[in-house]
Structures are given as C-alpha cells and as structure tokens.
Amino acid sequence: MTAADEREHAVSTTEPGTGQSTDRLAAENLLEVRGLQKHFPLRQGILFQRQIGAVRAVDGIDFSVGPGESLGLVGESGCGKSTTGRLITRLLEPTGGSVVFDGEDITHRSPGRMQEARRDLQMIFQDPYSSLNPRHTVGTIVETPMRLNGINPPQGHKKRAQELLETVGLNPEHYNRYPNEFSGGQRQRIGIARALALRPKLIVADEPVSALDVSIQAQVVNLLQDLQREFGIAFVFIAHDLAVVRHFSERVAVMYLGKIVEVAERESLYTRPRHPYTHALLSAVPEADPDAVERRERIRLAGDVPSPIDPPSGCRFRTRCWKAQDKCATVEPPLTRAEGSPTGHLTACHYPEEPTVTAREEDIVLDPALG
Amino acid sequence: MSVQTSPQPADVTPAPAPFLDVRDLKVHFPTEDGLVKSVDGVSFTLEKGRTLGIVGESGSGKSVTSLALLGLHKGTRAQVSGEIWLEGRELVALPEAGMRALRGRTVSMIFQDPLSALHPFFTVGSQIAEAYRVHHKVSRKEARGRAVDMLKRVGIPQPERRVRDYPHQFSGGMRQRAMIAMSLVCDPELLIADEPTTALDVTVQAQILDLIRDLQEEFGSAVVIITHDLGVVADVADDILVMYGGRRIEYGTTRDVLKDPQHPYTWGLLQSMPHLSGDVGERLNPIPGSPPSLINLPDGCAFHPRCGYKGWVPQGRCTAERPELRLVSGGERHLAACHLSDDAKQEIRGGDGPDGRGAAAARAAQ
Ligand SMILES: Nc1ncnc2c1ncn2[C@@H]1O[C@H](COP(=O)(O)OP(=O)(O)OP(=O)(O)O)[C@@H](O)[C@H]1O
Ligand SMILES: Nc1ncnc2c1ncn2[C@@H]1O[C@H](COP(=O)(O)OP(=O)(O)O)[C@@H](O)[C@H]1O
Ligand code: SF4
Ligand code: SF4
Ligand SMILES: [Mg+2]
Ligand SMILES: [Mg+2]
C-alpha cells in the first residue's frame, strides 16, 4: 500500500463535513481540510444592508495532501476552486470547517500570525498580468517575501533573488526590470520565483497556465514539475483543463457547485470515473485527434451549472444528471469509497456503478437543442 | 478547396468559383512603433456546407482576418489589400454601404465574448428581432415571433418567457446561444465564429460545438471557426489553416494536418500539450521562445528562432529565405511552408506512429 492509499483509507474513516478528524494518519499529511465552507453574504440595500442570502461558494469539503504530493482540483467555472485555494492560503476567512497545515490549525489564524505559516504555504495566481505590482522591479517582487519574513540569506537578498530568477529560467540580469517588459509566460515565471523565495512546502497554483499561449503553457508546466521533483514541494494544482491536471497531479479531486464529488488516484479517475459528472466532463474534452473524435462517446448535459446561491436539494448535480432518481432529490450523497476499489476511489453518488468511459456505447444527449 | 501555392487572378481558376475565395489578403496597421502586419498574404477557399478551422496562438492574425471577412476594417486606419470573393462578389473593394447590406444577412459573426455583442439595456428578444428587421420588412410582432423561434432552436428553455429577459439574466452558455440565435436569424450563408467557446466551460463548449454543427447541417452554410484549440477544430472542422505571424504555414484537410502534420510549428503545437490518454511519465515538449513581433518578423522563415530543425536544412536557408507554401508530396491539397526536404522529415519522424508525434521528433527538438 502506498502512502497515498493510506491517506485515502484515513479519509474514508472520517465523517464528511463534521470537521472532526479521527484518523491517526492525519498527522502525516501536510494539509488536512475538513468540512471547509465559505459562504459569501449577499446583501441588499444601500444604507442599511440586509443579508438576503449567501453564495455557497465552498460548502463542506474534505481532502488532504501529503508531503511532496500534487493534488489536482478540477471543475467548471464558479464551482469554488479558486475560493478553496484562497481559503487554504488564508487569503479568505473560512465560514466553517478546519484547515490544518503541517500539524497546526490555521483555520482562524490572524493575518499577523499567518505570516509564519505563509513561508511554507505559497500561492501562484492565474493572471500573470494583475498579480505582479507594475511599479516594483522584478528584484523587489521576488525579494519582498524574504524581507517580510525577516529572512536574510547568507549570500544577500539580491544574489538570492537572482538565483531564483535563474531557477525559473529567467535571466538574472532582469533583476532591475519592470513586469510590463515581460511576456505572459515570463511574468508567470516571476510569480513562481516569488512563490519559491521562502522554499515553501506547499504551493497552491490557481490556473497557473490558463492565461498563457498554447506554446508557452508546456514551458511553465515543465518548470513546475521540475520544481516539484527537485525541491519536494507539494502542490494543490487548480485548473479546468483535464489533460493538464492529469499530467501534473497524482491524485485528482473533481468539484461541482461547492462540493467535491469525486477524488481518486489519477489513473483510476480518468479511466474509471464513477461520478456521472466526471464522466460528462471527460467526454466533453475535445481531443486533437480525428480518430478520437469518431471513437468517442458523447455525453451532452442539459443547460449550465445552477446558481450556488440556491443549490439543488439532495445531490447538487441532479438537475443535469441522466441517472437521477427520486432519492437524489432528497438525500445528499456522501463522499464514500467506490465498491471494489482498493486504491481509495471516493465518489459522492447514490448510483455510481456504471460502465467505464470506453465500455459505454450509446450517446447520452440531454441538451434540448440537440435532441 | 482549390490548391493555390500563390495568389492567382480569378480568371485562371478553371473549376466553378468556390463559394468563398480569399486571395492574398493583407491587413496592415500603421502604428507609432511601425507597420503591424497582422495578416500578410493569407489565401483560402471554402464551399457551402463545409467548415474551415483557422488555428494559431494569440496575435497570429486570426481575429483580424475574420474582421476583414466582415468588412469591419472599412473606415479605420487599417490598410487592407488582396481579394475576398463571396459568391462572385469582391468584398475588399466593396463600399461600406454594400457591405452593410451583406453583414448580418449573408455573412454573420459569433464573437468570443457575447456580452460585447449583446446590448445590456435591451432585451435579448428585441435584439434578435431587430437583427431580423434590419434585413426584412416585417412587423414587430412577426420579428418577435422569429426571435422566439430562434431561441427555441438554439435550445433556450421556455423561449416565450426568456425572450423578454435582459442579457445579464442569462448564464454564460445561454448568452452564447442567444448570440448564435442572433447571428443565425437571417439564415446567413457564411458564418464566422471567432473563439466561440473559449470563454465557456467544457460541458457547455461541447453543447455549443454540437449546436453549430447541427445548425450547419440544417442550413448548409459555410462556417469559419477561429480558435487556438486544436481539439476544437478536430471536432468540427473539415479543413485547417494554421497561421503563424500573420501568415499561413500549413493548410489541408483536418485529417492531413492533425494526423500527418508537415510543419515544425504544427508538430510543436501537437506535442506541447498533454493528451487525455498520453503517457504521464513523459515530459511535455514545449516550443521554446515566444511568438514573434508582427512589426519585425524574423527574416527567412518566421518560425526559425524557435525551430529545432533548422540544422536539417542546408546553407542556412531557414534564416535567409522565406519558405513558400508548397504542396506536400503525396498529398492532394495539403500545403506547408517549410524548407525541410521530404527525406529530412522522414528521418526526423522516423520510426514513429503515423501521426508524427513520436518520441524521435520529441528528442530531436530538444
Ligand atoms: N467575493 C465574493 N463575493 C461573492 N461571491 C463570490 C466571491 N468570490 C467568489 N464568489 C462566488 O463563489 C463561487 C465560486 O467562485 P470561485 O472563484 O471559487 O470559482 P472557480 O471555481 O475558481 O471558477 P473559475 O474556473 O471561473 O475560476 C462563484 O459563484 C463566485 O461567483
Ligand atoms: N487596430 C489595430 N491596430 C494595431 N494593431 C492591431 C490592431 N488590431 C490588431 N492588431 C494587431 O494584429 C495582430 C493580430 O491580432 P489578432 O488578429 O487579434 O490576433 P489573434 O490571432 O489572437 O486573433 C496582433 O499583434 C494585434 O496586436
Ligand atoms: S446522486 Fe443521483 S443525481 Fe447525483 S450524481 Fe448520483 S445519480 Fe446523479
Ligand atoms: S523553414 Fe526551417 S526554420 Fe522554418 S519551420 Fe522549416 S525547418 Fe524550421
Ligand atoms: Mg478561479
Ligand atoms: Mg483573437
């Protein structure tokens, strides 16, 4: 049994959403997330703002990441991926649940005290244009985390910053340049150098390549992979591109409307998805291969993702699910281990057993326009 | 599609004229920094009922090409030359008034961002109805009925009710459908879709691509779909045109271009991104460097600073001489602009599968 297997066993002994972790292996995990919630209040009125509801962006999720492991987080726009990333790095205050990082509960840590943990817990953002201060030189940007944390490398800040620039494949002589002098891919490298400055144990990478040109994406993915291997950094890798996530992450979690609906080892998730939503997502990925287009099964869901303000009762996916039955509207399916999966494939569906992606032969088309 | 290695005058073409025939299109923008040659000699043809995919990374001139097809550079500082023949009518020289009569009716466009095409202060229904009334003398009531029909056809549930909604009341996927409804309301013969699904989620993207395909089958229109995503073109296009730095570098049927690519840039695009069934142990094989500036395109082959194969071409031709688009040997209408000889290509790709994405090419590029 691998370490990852053990972790999955540990997860399944935990009641989802209770926030109580009873497993003994929890201590071995670098990151433990239990019952994590973020509800953004919706207010109305200009002077006397009344709360009229809440956006349930993240609504009770559990997962863990081991040292040096890469966990992928996929799902469609608005399902709560970025919010999850910001909760873990404590850029946002959780509404409920807990975040334990490196054995310490950081769920409600004050920003001042977060500073320490942040050394080990860094974030890379999607947009390489807005995430760097345009008035600071590259050198200042990369050095700032060191200065804020009172870290004085023996070789000096400048030397260290230049080493970091070199590590991410930039010219150390770019130290005095400004972000607007760089291309998107280069800016993303600057953001990565900044995240590396404190030698973190975990990096939350929120769509690190989505804004980049196709030909540049692979450069950045390779860089992140080298860093992960060389420095043993663990990753929470957020992306909507399922092929990129598969390439980068050993384990993958699928989110839908603020919930994790499936988590499994990469191979298990991509070849034998148990949740109908994962199935649909995989069948919708366009592949640059005319033969794959002909072979491929087609699952076309109806409509869009419902609003997280008023999510469907029971299973949140039921409004678009072709397998939904009465029970799905009343009972929320918990994240449980799929039958017959020794590797710890967790899925949140009442009726998960279905043929594999390739074994299915019929199209499933729910879209009214396509009939 | 007729094979053109260089632009030819109209009367040389023996076969019946294609439905759309673009010849040596150039769109240049004078700017403070110099002349931006966004599109620099692009030619292609398209028949009704067929789909052409134009692929390239950002800044390669895809959108500027599509705006030229709609005549939207008229009255701007853009310098447009070349010919665009649509059913025997030439559009580059056509005055704006003539173009306006075609736009929305014969030629229509779906934009990447539906919010920029839909006005926030008018209901979705009134905008679709208005697009219809511009070209048809019908009453408001009739036009509105037409709008309801169109919404229904693109799969908006409860169209009688949703026709009164404002764009912000629609989700992203529904807005894209509404825009498709608006662009199809006059049954256009040529539909241009510029990154129609880039802003959408995969499940919604799949719906929209199916929809475009189904509507095309129903109406038999010609479709130009512009995207940076090779997966999207594999899904919907019959032919593919790959652009780099404002020029064509490869052109052929979808199967030829994706299964037997002939240009190192196309190899690079196919190899650099992971596939759902790829080997996760293998490193990605990126294209080094970044896309070129359109003001100062590199001499010779515009791709040479990023190309790992220029050593296979003797006498430094890659940096000195611009490769012409020529017929791939053995292909009927597969064109590529690269100096590599057939033997060299064979050797580079030697021992691989037929799709030319094999490991030898990957190693050679490093
Ligand atoms: N500050 C906020 N106030 C109110 N709602 C918010 C706020 N931030 C996020 N949301 C909402 O929470 C939900 C989840 O947002 P989040 O940014 O986490 O999505 P995501 O999965 O990262 O999507 P994408 O793929 O588009 O980046 C969305 O419905 C979003 O509109
Ligand atoms: N109005 C304009 N003035 C100057 N340059 C322009 C203008 N419109 C587009 N360009 C330039 O033309 C090139 C091609 O642009 P575009 O066709 O939009 O690329 P894409 O292939 O991403 O759609 C880019 O370098 C862009 O900056
Ligand atoms: S629980 Fe029911 S509605 Fe939800 S995914 Fe499973 S079958 Fe579909
Ligand atoms: S012409 Fe030369 S530089 Fe250009 S793609 Fe072919 S081999 Fe590479
Ligand atoms: Mg996000
Ligand atoms: Mg564009």
Side-chain angles (χ1 to χ4, degrees):
Chain A
M1 198 154 86
T2 67
D5 295 347
E6 272 171 337
R7 268 193 307 281
E8 289 300 354
H9 283 285
V11 170
S12 63
T13 60
T14 309
E15 266 300 291
T18 57
Q20 284 169 12
S21 178
T22 51
D23 50 0
R24 72 199 146 72
L25 285 168
E28 286 177 17
N29 280 326
L30 184 59
L31 179 71
E32 281 278 336
V33 171
R34 291 288 162 253
L36 191 62
Q37 284 183 328
K38 180 67 190 180
H39 294 179
F40 294 103
L42 266 181
R43 296 182 203 283
Q44 201 173 46
I46 296 161
L47 266 186
F48 303 101
Q49 290 204 330
R50 247 168 354 107
Q51 184 171 340
I52 54 161
V55 180
R56 293 155 74 173
V58 172
D59 209 13
I61 61 173
D62 307 87
F63 64 88
S64 54
V65 183
E69 186 191 30
S70 167
L71 174 77
L73 205 53
V74 294
E76 295 181 275
S77 189
C79 69
K81 305 181 297 293
S82 298
T83 306
T84 302
R86 288 167 184 273
L87 288 170
I88 302 168
T89 46
R90 287 302 324 286
L91 296 172
L92 282 174
E93 176 77 15
T95 310
S98 68
V99 181
V100 175
F101 177 70
D102 212 5
E104 292 193 49
D105 190 328
I106 58 167
T107 318
H108 297 293
R109 228 184 235 183
S110 64
R113 287 209 49 223
M114 238 344 257
Q115 210 47 261
E116 285 164 47
R118 201 153 285 140
R119 284 188 194 186
D120 293 328
L121 181 50
Q122 289 285 317
M123 186 143 178
I124 300 171
F125 298 90
Q126 166 167 4
D127 184 357
Y129 295 90
S130 64
S131 60
L132 303 176
N133 187 331
R135 285 186 299 277
H136 288 173
T137 62
V138 170
T140 309
I141 289 169
V142 177
E143 280 171 16
T144 299
M146 293 188 256
R147 294 191 193 276
L148 279 178
N149 284 279
I151 290 176
N152 297 303
Q155 68 271 52
H157 286 124
K158 178 169 179 180
K159 194 90 204 345
R160 173 84 182 120
Q162 290 184 323
E163 284 170 13
L164 286 163
L165 291 178
E166 214 162 354
T167 307
V168 299
L170 290 172
N171 189 333
E173 284 159 22
H174 290 163
Y175 182 85
N176 282 317
R177 301 244 198 119
Y178 290 88
N180 64 5
E181 298 171 47
F182 294 90
S183 71
Q186 289 174 319
R187 286 184 217 200
Q188 201 54 294
R189 287 172 194 267
I190 299 169
I192 295 169
R194 173 177 62 185
L196 287 179
L198 302 175
R199 296 183 186 282
K201 293 181 182 160
L202 176 75
I203 292 181
V204 176
D206 188 3
E207 308 257 10
V209 299
S210 308
L212 304 177
D213 255 320
V214 218
S215 74
I216 309 297
Q217 289 190 5
Q219 296 176 6
V220 174
V221 170
N222 278 355
L223 169 64
L224 291 174
Q225 208 157 35
D226 291 347
L227 297 172
Q228 189 204 2
R229 289 179 185 158
E230 194 171 329
F231 303 115
I233 301 170
F235 272 85
V236 173
F237 188 89
I238 301 173
H240 62 265
D241 183 328
L242 282 104
V244 172
V245 168
R246 175 174 175 274
H247 183 81
F248 194 83
S249 314
E250 292 123 40
R251 224 152 37 95
V252 179
V254 181
M255 283 187 81
Y256 187 79
L257 262 187
K259 291 272 187 192
I260 289 180
V261 297
E262 188 154 24
V263 202
E265 303 278 312
R266 148 172 64 201
E267 211 41 41
S268 185
L269 189 104
Y270 282 82
T271 54
R272 200 151 178 239
R274 311 297 169 95
H275 198 281
Y277 177 62
T278 312
H279 232 120
L281 266 186
L282 285 170
S283 92
V285 176
E287 287 224 67
D289 177 353
D291 293 333
V293 172
E294 280 157 29
R295 279 198 304 271
R296 189 174 78 195
E297 57 162 3
R298 247 170 31 127
I299 301 176
R300 292 293 177 264
L301 301 179
D304 308 288
V305 184
S307 157
I309 297 169
D310 187 19
S313 65
C315 173
R316 291 177 184 206
F317 185 57
R318 71 176 165 83
T319 52
R320 302 171 82 198
C321 182
W322 64 95
K323 291 203 275 175
Q325 309 201 9
D326 292 347
K327 185 181 178 188
C328 304
T330 50
V331 183
E332 183 171 341
L335 200 58
T336 43
R337 178 188 306 280
E339 288 288 332
S341 159
T343 53
H345 189 132
L346 307 183
T347 192
C349 172
H350 294 308
Y351 309 102
E353 283 311 315
E354 267 291 298
T356 62
V357 171
T358 38
R360 181 197 296 280
E361 292 193 343
E362 266 167 70
D363 288 351
I364 295 167
V365 178
L366 304 180
D367 194 308
L370 306 171
Chain B
M1 188 172 100
S2 67
V3 170
Q4 284 185 323
T5 47
S6 60
Q8 288 166 1
D11 50 5
V12 180
T13 317
F19 171 67
L20 173 68
D21 191 354
V22 175
R23 299 178 177 193
D24 201 25
L25 180 68
K26 292 184 180 165
V27 184
H28 295 175
F29 296 97
T31 68
E32 279 174 21
D33 301 325
L35 191 63
V36 180
K37 297 182 176 175
S38 301
V39 179
D40 202 27
V42 164
S43 307
F44 58 85
T45 61
L46 182 62
E47 295 296 350
K48 285 184 99 173
R50 309 280 292 176
T51 300
L52 170 73
I54 302 185
V55 208
E57 44 198 322
S58 71
S60 58
K62 306 182 299 293
S63 297
V64 171
T65 304
S66 67
L67 295 178
L69 295 176
L70 280 162
L72 288 174
H73 296 300
K74 291 182 198 294
T76 72
R77 62 190 168 146
Q79 302 163 356
V80 184
S81 69
E83 296 160 39
I84 300 174
W85 290 93
L86 182 73
E87 278 194 314
R89 207 172 346 191
E90 204 288 306
L91 306 185
V92 171
L94 191 70
E96 168 61 17
M99 200 62 227
R100 209 177 301 135
L102 294 180
R103 218 180 277 141
R105 185 188 183 123
T106 314
V107 189
S108 179
M109 174 123 177
I110 305 173
F111 293 92
Q112 171 168 356
D113 174 13
L115 278 185
S116 64
L118 293 169
H119 196 291
F121 297 157
F122 297 97
T123 65
V124 170
S126 66
Q127 296 185 59
I128 299 174
E130 203 41 50
Y132 192 60
R133 274 161 54 89
V134 168
H135 296 289
H136 297 86
K137 285 200 165 39
V138 295
S139 69
R140 278 183 197 282
K141 195 155 169 258
E142 274 173 280
R144 189 190 177 80
R146 174 88 183 164
V148 173
D149 282 351
M150 290 310 296
L151 286 179
K152 189 170 183 177
R153 206 182 253 147
V154 297
I156 303 272
Q158 298 173 285
E160 296 83 3
R161 189 169 70 76
R162 302 309 296 246
V163 75
R164 289 193 294 269
D165 280 356
Y166 290 88
H168 72 90
Q169 291 168 286
F170 275 27
S171 71
M174 281 163 69
R175 274 183 219 135
Q176 197 61 293
R177 282 167 190 256
M179 190 165 60
I180 292 177
M182 191 156 92
S183 58
L184 292 178
V185 72
C186 296
D187 295 334
E189 291 164 62
L190 173 61
L191 181 66
I192 298 156
D194 188 358
E195 308 261 9
T197 58
T198 303
L200 302 175
D201 284 318
V202 278
T203 62
V204 182
Q205 162 169 292
Q207 294 169 7
I208 299 290
L209 293 179
D210 276 1
L211 181 64
I212 292 177
R213 209 180 3 227
D214 283 8
L215 293 169
Q216 180 187 29
E217 266 169 34
E218 195 177 331
F219 298 109
S221 27
V223 176
V224 176
I225 186 160
I226 291 171
T227 171
H228 62 270
D229 187 336
L230 288 167
V232 168
V233 284
D235 220 3
V236 296
D238 299 300
D239 292 334
I240 296 182
L241 173 67
V242 185
M243 287 183 68
Y244 190 78
R247 295 180 188 148
R248 304 183 291 173
I249 57 106
E250 185 156 2
Y251 183 28
T253 64
T254 297
R255 180 160 288 274
D256 279 349
V257 173
L258 295 180
K259 296 299 260 189
D260 186 24
Q262 294 289 330
H263 194 285
Y265 177 64
T266 317
W267 297 345
L269 285 181
L270 284 167
Q271 282 170 4
S272 59
M273 287 322 290
H275 303 271
L276 269 188
S277 49
D279 176 359
V280 291
E282 221 168 85
R283 265 172 80 78
L284 297 181
N285 184 22
I287 303 176
S290 43
S293 147
L294 293 174
I295 296 179
N296 266 319
L297 220 52
D299 286 336
C301 171
F303 186 57
H304 87 250
R306 308 175 72 188
C307 183
Y309 305 104
K310 47 183 181 285
W312 294 71
V313 177
Q315 292 149 0
R317 273 175 82 205
C318 293
T319 50
E321 185 188 328
R322 182 167 143 198
E324 285 298 321
L325 202 64
R326 56 194 165 90
L327 204 55
V328 170
S329 51
E332 271 171 50
R333 50 192 194 93
H334 186 181
L335 305 169
C338 171
H339 290 310
L340 283 174
S341 67
D342 287 346
D343 287 348
K345 282 184 200 164
Q346 198 73 47
E347 215 177 313
I348 291 167
R349 296 162 53 176
D352 310 337
D355 62 351
R357 295 183 203 162
R363 275 192 305 278
Q366 270 164 2

